[in-house]
Amino acid sequence: MTKMGSFTFYDYAVLLIILTILSAIGLYYRYTGGKQSSTEEYLLGDRNQGVLPVALSLVASHMSGISILGVPAEVYFRGAIYSVANIALLIVIPVTVHLFLPVFFKVASMSVYEYLELRFGRHLRVLASLAYPVQSVLFMAVVLYAPALALETLSGLSTTWSILVVGSVCTFYSTVGGIKAVIMTDVFQFILTNLAVLTIILTVYLEKGSFINIWTAAKEGGRLNFSNFSLDPTERHTWWSLIIGATFTYMGTYAVHQSQVQRYLTLRDHRTALRTLYVSWPITTAFSLSMIFAGLCIYSKYQGCDPLMAHTIRSEDQLVPYFVVDTLSSCPGIPGLVVAGIFSASLSSISANLNSLATVSVQDYIRPLYQQKKKLFPTDKWTLWMTKLLACLYGCLLMVITYLARYMRGILQTGLTLAGLMGGPMVAVYTLGLFVPAANEPGAIAALLSGLAISVWLSFGGPKPPIVNLQSSTYSCLDNITTTSDLLTRPGEYFYLYRLSYWWSVVLSCLLAFTIGWLVSLYTTAVYKFSCNTDPELFSPPVMIILNKRKQSLKENISSVIHFENKKQNIN
């Protein structure tokens, strides 16, 4: 890779100011209001947060640094069909709001896994909450690696120092400020991230003269590939893989993920959460489309001299940082602003997960163990102190594991794979709990374990065929560059399931886990007489209505039988 430009004093100043502001937000919420003196305030913000801040926080955490680096690169190398994934939100958000959230607000627990104990039993709750930290820390490692990679590419600062600086700041404000600091820093970071994306778009617009010229270049290069309706599941992106795969992946994020549900519960009630999610919906879509258009803008810039083929960059994940160096290095402070946007997008996802990891660890393990050993409930002060300590420890663990992220196969695909790793099995388990009265704990445990096994196998099994990019060119490069084509392989050389698009992994793991869980529930109920809590309040509203009608009908039948027997006795 050729030497890239370096940061100026102004770029470092911009980064330093932004990192200072983020730390200051954490300190502000540590020393104002209730001063984070109760667990309720620290983890749930006293359940009185505003609609717009939480909506922007949801958007910010959904669009991480993985998105800022990965989505434009995905569009540049493989086309704008990726935008079809946004259609999944038409399904995910209404389902989350109307079928899942009403039950979580009834349970009103700081840990989303408490529902599993109420519905099925303690063993399932322990298993589910054990798998969550593993998946979450791995996902955050990929998210933290994104800004570290960008800073290394732009400034020459080593990945080690980048990880330490960004990880330390995020751990600090998440630990001292609690969920209020997380939400408000998310709002600030959302603004910065949008500025970064808009800077990329505006820069190319000024160079090309119009959006039509950008669109024309993308069309000529085959990047407007919206017409792939193929039913072949081995194709990386089709309408079906994107809509169906994104629906299952986003359900794991929006409907049952601890960090998202915990944000919902910072709101006053279910009605407020409903408004918040519907407000976040168009903002998320607009932000996603802006990143996709940024990818088309970058393609129009390098249409005749692809930096990857020209060996100017080592991997596609360096495309956005390289664009910043190549195009904006003459504008002091602007590269710093763009990198700050990438940092901000990553920090918003990490801070939410750190807070949630600490919540789950304390609520699902530390408090029950304390209660079991001491034979009494821990004080709120002790619980708060332990939560903050764990948030800090998880932050340190994250920085250590992030070094492994350099062995990834691309930031976007790795991030989505890890997001769906536990998402599919968990969606299956919660769907069993909320919609299938016959489901019991053995069935739910079988669903979780089988789903995780299938998900890990499909996600990380191999060998897998190389990713095929759309055609690029180096005809306008200044140097006389000779390129070699990638080694072509025949699909039949690879095991069929390893050739599936990464979007289908979460779909298969969810559907198979749900089916296995249902069958095991039916078998164990019939043979071993296993049962579970079928309180109508623990089911999704449509199922709850049916169960209440059955309950009422049963009461009426019993009442009729009693009345008939009494009448019969009176006659006799």
Side-chain angles (χ1 to χ4, degrees), residues 312-492:
T312 309
I313 58 176
R314 294 190 304 267
S315 70
E316 62 184 59
D317 296 326
Q318 292 180 316
L319 177 68
V320 173
Y322 172 73
F323 171 85
V324 175
V325 169
D326 185 43
T327 310
L328 300 171
S329 57
S330 60
C331 306
I334 300 300
L337 178 65
V338 175
V339 173
I342 298 172
F343 270 51
S344 297
S346 295
L347 292 176
S348 62
S349 296
I350 295 169
S351 60
N353 278 280
L354 286 179
N355 191 273
S356 299
L357 281 169
T359 303
V360 169
S361 298
V362 170
Q363 299 298 322
D364 289 18
Y365 300 107
I366 305 298
R367 287 190 67 188
L369 286 174
Y370 184 98
Q371 183 181 349
Q372 184 179 355
K373 286 196 171 186
K374 302 285 187 179
K375 304 302 180 184
L376 51 86
F377 288 101
T379 63
D380 190 66
K381 184 177 180 180
W382 184 90
T383 303
L384 178 62
W385 177 86
M386 184 58 67
T387 304
K388 291 182 178 181
L389 174 63
L390 285 171
C392 183
L393 291 177
Y394 273 121
C396 296
L397 175 63
L398 165 65
M399 287 183 274
V400 173
I401 295 179
T402 300
Y403 293 108
L404 300 175
R406 65 188 69 190
Y407 302 109
M408 301 176 301
R409 287 185 71 194
I411 284 178
L412 181 64
Q413 179 171 332
T414 304
L416 289 170
T417 299
L418 288 171
L421 188 65
M422 193 176 170
M426 290 307 299
V427 170
V429 169
Y430 278 96
T431 302
L432 284 169
L434 290 166
F435 298 95
V436 184
N440 58 25
E441 187 173 29
I445 291 175
L448 177 62
L449 294 179
S450 62
L452 282 173
I454 295 166
S455 187
V456 170
W457 175 43
L458 292 177
S459 298
F460 300 107
K464 293 182 178 179
I467 299 171
V468 179
N469 294 340
L470 295 175
Q471 187 175 1
S472 296
S473 176
T474 57
Y475 70 85
S476 67
C477 293
L478 295 178
D479 299 327
N480 185 18
I481 299 171
T482 58
T483 59
T484 57
S485 299
D486 292 330
L487 180 64
L488 296 178
T489 58
R490 288 171 293 184

Side-chain angles (χ1 to χ4, degrees), residues 549-567:
K549 285 183 178 179
R550 287 181 182 175
K551 194 174 180 180
Q552 182 63 32
S553 177
L554 180 62
K555 285 182 179 179
E556 290 175 355
N557 289 337
I558 293 174
S559 178
S560 298
V561 169
I562 294 173
H563 178 72
F564 175 77
E565 290 295 332
N566 289 337
K567 188 175 181 180

Side-chain angles (χ1 to χ4, degrees), residues 122-132 365 445 448-449:
R122 177 69 184 167
H123 296 97
L124 178 63
R125 178 179 181 177
V126 170
L127 281 174
S129 55
L130 271 175
Y132 169 67
Y365 300 107
I445 291 175
L448 177 62
L449 294 179

